[in-house]
Amino acid sequence: MEFVKVSRLVKSEDLNHHGTLFAGRMAEWFVEACFICGAKYTKKPENIVCVNIHGLTFTEPGNEGDIINLETRFAKVGRTSFTVYGKITKNDSNKILSDGFITFVFVDENGKAIPHNIVLDEPIDEEDRKIRERALKLNK
Ligand SMILES: CC(C)(COP(=O)(O)OP(=O)(O)OC[C@H]1O[C@@H](n2cnc3c(N)ncnc32)[C@H](O)[C@@H]1OP(=O)(O)O)[C@@H](O)C(=O)NCCC(=O)NCCS
């Protein structure tokens, strides 16, 4: 189970009325990146639906011309649901602009939740362990 990294370029159409990256655009990129993490691992994008965006805090603005990096990983798995953690940085900096969790559910062709059979590997480091602890405390 590896990290999935996706990058986006902040363009003029991505800006808000303050001239910084629009939160809605960042949220869209965040959901997409977390979805790609689940889709890449399961290879079943058609079976994945988003059930909960647990919260996304913005601690730094993005600016036009920035490269926004979205790094995602599995944080928690249930029977039919799984939760992906996403971390957002920009350019070559490790400073976190935003991070959060999204829970997806594996569904059949009728939209009914079905087991995904995903098994979470052991945490690879301290950061991974802390992310999983945070995921266990998320509310529905
Ligand atoms: C996803 C969906 C099928 C789940 O239906 P449901 O009746 O809640 O199903 P269940 O009660 O069996 O729950 C299924 C799993 O989702 C989890 N779940 C349900 N609601 C949740 C929530 N708000 N947050 C986190 N997990 C949730 C349950 O804990 C369960 O996980 P588990 O099997 O790993 O223990 C249904 O909510 C749905 O169709 N939602 C719309 C999805 C969608 O269209 N997304 C795009 C939004 S624009």
Side-chain angles (χ1 to χ4, degrees):
M1 220 172 240
E2 293 179 10
F3 302 153
V4 176
K5 295 181 182 180
V6 178
S7 291
R8 306 293 302 241
L9 172 68
V10 181
K11 303 181 293 305
S12 53
E13 63 262 34
D14 304 317
L15 305 181
N16 58 29
H17 57 290
H18 306 289
T20 57
L21 176 58
F22 176 50
R25 184 77 77 222
M26 180 86 105
E28 179 189 341
W29 291 348
F30 184 75
V31 173
E32 191 176 278
C34 291
F35 178 88
I36 290 170
C37 180
K40 273 201 159 185
Y41 184 79
T42 61
K43 298 188 172 45
K44 295 273 183 189
E46 66 276 19
N47 294 112
I48 299 171
V49 293
C50 174
V51 72
N52 197 339
I53 302 172
H54 294 272
L56 193 56
T57 46
F58 300 103
T59 48
E60 280 256 326
N63 297 297
E64 192 170 2
D66 280 342
I67 303 285
I68 301 294
N69 307 303
L70 303 108
E71 182 188 285
T72 59
R73 65 179 86 186
F74 281 84
K76 187 173 79 171
V77 298
R79 193 178 78 89
T80 66
S81 69
F82 61 88
T83 302
V84 175
Y85 169 78
K87 179 170 79 177
I88 305 176
T89 58
K90 67 178 184 181
N91 304 320
D92 297 325
S93 169
N94 289 325
K95 192 167 180 192
I96 297 175
L97 266 64
S98 179
D99 75 342
F101 295 84
I102 300 191
T103 298
F104 298 93
V105 176
F106 210 64
V107 295
D108 65 14
E109 62 277 15
N110 299 311
K112 183 179 170 298
I114 53 170
H116 50 53
N117 300 318
I118 300 168
V119 178
L120 202 56
D121 293 343
E122 287 301 307
I124 54 159
D125 58 16
E126 186 58 15
E127 183 187 12
D128 218 22
R129 202 181 56 71
K130 285 188 175 155
I131 286 167
R132 292 184 191 194
E133 275 177 18
R134 282 174 63 192
L136 290 175
K137 292 180 189 149
L138 295 171
N139 294 319
K140 275 194 184 174

